[in-house]
Amino acid sequence: MRIPLFDCHCDTISRIATDCESLRSNSFHLDLNRLGKFSPSAQIFAVCSETLAQPKEKSKAMLEKLNREIEKNSDIVKLCLNFHDLEDTVKSGRIAAFISVEGCEQIASLEEAHRNGVRILHPTWNFDNELCGSAMGSGRGLSEKGRAFVKKAQKMGFALDMSHISVSGFWDTLEIITKPVIAGHSNAKTVCDVPRNLSDEQFRELIKIGGGVGINLYPEFLGLGKDIAAVVSHIEHFMSLGGERSLFLGCDLDGIDCTPNGIDGVQDLEKLYNELLRLNFSEELVKDIFWNNLYEIMGRML
């Protein structure tokens, strides 16, 4: 049985850039060889400098490294710049790759980011910036510059990810968007009450606008037993809110310092797939979570 996988978030390029391993094969949570075991397969690769010191320079170097790695492995992966690229890459049997940037203090301009292949933007990471407060920061909403940024980004064809934004920034953004947005690697606050997780009200609103949420594997965002059962608990909660067409995976692999018990890397997502089947989720619904939902949402955003 070939299992599909469309994962909304990994930070593997951050590890490769500092530890000098390759995207094709490495000792981290995720590489192209392991992604290639899933069919079809797509991955959003995040660029994040994780520092307030020279973020633009560090992000630019990381982005250049990621583009080189994708080009070097073009026999098995292709950078996608729009939804048609995603469709064509899936048909070719290669891994579809998208690039996101976490924290827009890291980009010189929207135009430069677009030229460099970025198509998904997080207005903030874990720091406040001139656009907005972050979920881990002050909690302030969008500035006037942030509002202009959101409008221009969507007009230019960027998808927006709300996972790190403040609650006020989330609602400010949803007031002015013209296309769906996502929270690409966030869990349910009702199940695990941490600032990075979403309230039921936020999730229902994402459903309403045609967006969705990606399940994050970070144990501190899962709570409970911090294992596969905890992952399932977040999935079940979002499903209870009507999330059948709005829930997907945003595992945060290589961006987290530990993983749930039973999942050591992307190769172990097969265990989650099989556990959902064992719990009497229909295979159609499991495939929606693993592929169809994010695929369709990307079509609406891009």
Side-chain angles (χ1 to χ4, degrees):
M1 177 179 65
R2 297 304 296 270
I3 294 174
L5 177 65
F6 196 161
D7 177 62
C8 196
H9 195 91
C10 78
D11 287 278
T12 306
I13 192 59
S14 298
R15 301 292 306 275
I16 289 170
T18 56
D19 293 2
C20 300
E21 295 196 43
S22 76
L23 191 60
R24 193 179 192 104
S25 178
N26 59 57
S27 60
F28 309 135
H29 291 151
L30 179 148
D31 58 35
L32 296 177
N33 283 341
R34 283 175 283 170
L35 278 174
K37 303 297 183 183
F38 297 88
S39 180
S41 179
Q43 179 68 53
I44 297 176
F45 291 91
V47 169
C48 184
S49 71
E50 299 185 1
T51 178
L52 289 173
Q54 298 181 309
K56 291 182 176 65
E57 291 82 356
K58 292 178 180 178
S59 178
K60 182 179 180 181
M62 202 178 299
L63 182 57
E64 290 173 351
K65 173 71 171 176
L66 177 55
N67 273 304
R68 287 196 303 271
E69 286 287 319
I70 292 173
E71 179 62 29
K72 185 166 65 176
N73 294 287
S74 60
D75 59 319
I76 58 172
V77 64
K78 179 184 176 182
L79 178 63
C80 296
L81 302 178
N82 52 56
F83 187 70
H84 297 300
D85 284 349
L86 174 59
E87 292 177 308
D88 291 343
T89 304
V90 168
K91 290 175 184 175
S92 76
R94 288 183 288 175
I95 299 162
F98 285 93
I99 300 176
S100 70
V101 170
E102 286 188 283
C104 286
E105 70 279 357
Q106 299 176 60
I107 62 173
S109 68
L110 286 169
E111 289 79 8
E112 181 177 294
H114 198 273
R115 286 194 300 271
N116 288 331
V118 179
R119 290 298 182 269
I120 299 97
L121 293 171
H122 304 243
T124 65
W125 185 58
N126 284 342
F127 313 121
D128 292 358
N129 60 26
E130 61 183 353
L131 302 180
C132 194
S134 79
M136 307 298 288
S138 68
R140 63 177 170 79
L142 285 178
S143 65
E144 285 306 309
K145 187 168 185 176
R147 290 176 180 273
F149 174 91
V150 166
K151 293 175 182 178
K152 183 176 179 179
Q154 285 203 317
K155 188 174 182 179
M156 288 181 64
F158 289 100
L160 295 177
D161 192 318
M162 302 285 101
S163 275
H164 283 279
I165 204 167
S166 67
V167 173
S168 295
F170 176 95
W171 293 113
D172 287 348
T173 301
L174 266 63
E175 285 181 358
I176 60 174
I177 55 172
T178 56
K179 298 177 185 177
V181 297
I182 56 174
H185 55 304
S186 296
N187 293 337
K189 191 181 288 286
T190 297
V191 179
C192 182
D193 188 6
V194 297
R196 275 275 284 100
N197 286 346
L198 296 181
S199 69
D200 293 356
E201 184 182 11
Q202 287 175 299
F203 183 62
R204 288 192 181 101
E205 193 63 27
L206 289 174
I207 294 173
K208 189 183 300 184
I209 64 171
V213 171
I215 293 291
N216 191 316
L217 295 185
Y218 186 39
E220 298 306 311
F221 297 166
L222 290 171
L224 303 174
K226 301 180 180 180
D227 53 13
I228 291 176
V231 180
V232 173
S233 292
H234 285 270
I235 292 173
E236 289 178 329
H237 180 75
F238 282 135
M239 287 297 166
S240 76
L241 301 175
E244 293 85 356
R245 306 300 298 169
S246 305
L247 191 63
F248 47 88
L249 299 179
C251 297
D252 211 358
L253 293 174
D254 290 317
I256 52 180
D257 54 17
C258 58
T259 54
N261 294 328
I263 299 179
D264 295 324
V266 68
Q267 69 281 355
D268 291 328
L269 292 178
E270 181 178 356
K271 296 179 182 178
L272 175 60
Y273 189 97
N274 290 328
E275 178 64 7
L276 291 171
L277 293 180
R278 189 187 71 80
L279 293 170
N280 294 320
F281 282 68
S282 70
E283 187 155 16
E284 179 182 5
L285 179 55
V286 180
K287 286 183 176 179
D288 286 343
I289 296 168
F290 269 67
W291 180 268
N292 294 325
N293 290 348
L294 183 54
Y295 185 86
E296 292 173 5
I297 291 167
M298 290 293 281
R300 292 193 286 271
M301 292 195 299
L302 297 178

